[in-house]
Amino acid sequence: QSMDGELSSNLNNDKKSAVSSTFEDMSNVDLLSASTADQDQSMDGELPSNLNNDINTSQQSAPASTIYYQIEFDVEHIGKNRPQNKRQAIWRYCIASTPGVDDSTTICEHVAQLVWSTHSGKYAIKVDGEEVYSNVAKGSVLEHKWRWDHRNACVVDEGGVQMRILACRKPPTRSSKNFRCYEFLVQGKVYRELPRFGSSA
């Protein structure tokens, strides 16, 4: 059961219309660049509209033969009494890597998950069922970034794959119909812009 009216695309093309009055006194704040790898930043307002400012900031080296693919994204309302008060966002993706020129390509599927109680603010992030981080969002927006070692299924300070999740409870009043309330970045790339697994891209 996907959320009606909350999933949208093209966040980067709506910088002006997606900026709400809540942020008029914080116009110089970039939520993406403000957080650290082990600290979440929760703020009242909306998702930052300049995602691309953060796409190329990572200097972490990854094998040139590593390709990240999107598989499926879905959001469900899973609250017991009021389903809409608890949401679960799931991003399925895969990583195709070739260690060397003569080595075969290894393809591994993974799942990133966000469970968020918009009533209490409590949320938890997991990758492949292993908890990455949990906290209480202080406002209507949450954001967390980390580095993940898929082989050992753990958060690392260096190496690994850079990941970031951003979410907001509902689209801002003046947002476009294409506004997306949930964003997932893998190695500095927006999930929805990754090539789709199985396509010719």
Side-chain angles (χ1 to χ4, degrees):
Q1 299 178 0
S2 297
M3 296 176 55
D4 291 335
E6 292 198 1
L7 303 182
S8 52
S9 59
N10 243 349
L11 189 62
N12 298 327
N13 295 329
D14 193 43
K15 295 182 70 175
K16 293 185 179 179
S17 61
V19 177
S20 68
S21 58
T22 307
F23 280 85
E24 288 180 355
D25 59 343
M26 301 177 66
S27 58
N28 294 323
V29 174
D30 182 356
L31 184 60
L32 279 168
S33 61
S35 64
T36 59
D38 58 355
Q39 178 182 9
D40 80 302
Q41 301 288 331
S42 299
M43 301 175 63
D44 285 321
E46 62 195 62
L47 291 183
S49 58
N50 52 349
L51 277 175
N52 276 340
N53 289 347
D54 189 61
I55 301 306
N56 298 317
T57 58
S58 170
Q59 297 300 319
Q60 178 199 356
S61 60
S65 55
T66 297
I67 303 176
Y68 303 91
Y69 294 94
Q70 61 169 300
I71 298 177
E72 182 184 18
F73 168 68
D74 191 30
V75 176
E76 293 183 316
H77 292 170
I78 59 174
K80 291 182 179 180
N81 298 323
R82 295 185 176 182
Q84 68 274 19
N85 285 348
K86 191 172 186 179
R87 304 165 186 187
Q88 176 178 259
I90 293 178
W91 296 267
R92 297 185 184 279
Y93 62 99
C94 66
I95 302 175
S97 58
T98 306
V101 176
D102 299 326
D103 295 327
S104 60
T105 300
T106 300
I107 300 176
C108 297
E109 182 177 342
H110 302 281
V111 178
Q113 177 191 58
L114 167 67
V115 176
W116 183 17
S117 171
T118 56
H119 178 69
S120 66
K122 294 180 180 179
Y123 68 93
I125 296 172
K126 294 182 179 180
V127 173
D128 296 336
E130 299 294 329
E131 184 168 299
V132 172
Y133 187 76
S134 61
N135 205 338
V136 178
K138 298 179 177 64
S140 61
V141 173
L142 69 83
E143 183 262 350
H144 183 68
K145 66 178 181 178
W146 70 99
R147 291 181 182 269
W148 187 253
D149 182 335
H150 286 87
R151 177 174 295 180
N152 297 307
C154 63
V155 176
V156 293
D157 294 329
E158 298 180 354
V161 178
Q162 278 195 332
M163 296 187 162
R164 180 171 292 192
I165 283 179
L166 302 101
C168 68
R169 292 179 184 175
K170 60 182 180 180
T173 303
R174 292 180 290 175
S175 65
S176 73
K177 63 180 181 179
N178 294 321
F179 184 86
R180 184 177 291 266
C181 286
Y182 299 87
E183 290 287 1
F184 177 46
L185 283 77
V186 182
Q187 199 66 18
K189 299 178 181 179
V190 179
Y191 175 85
R192 57 188 165 84
E193 296 178 356
L194 295 176
R196 186 170 294 277
F197 184 69
S199 68
S200 59

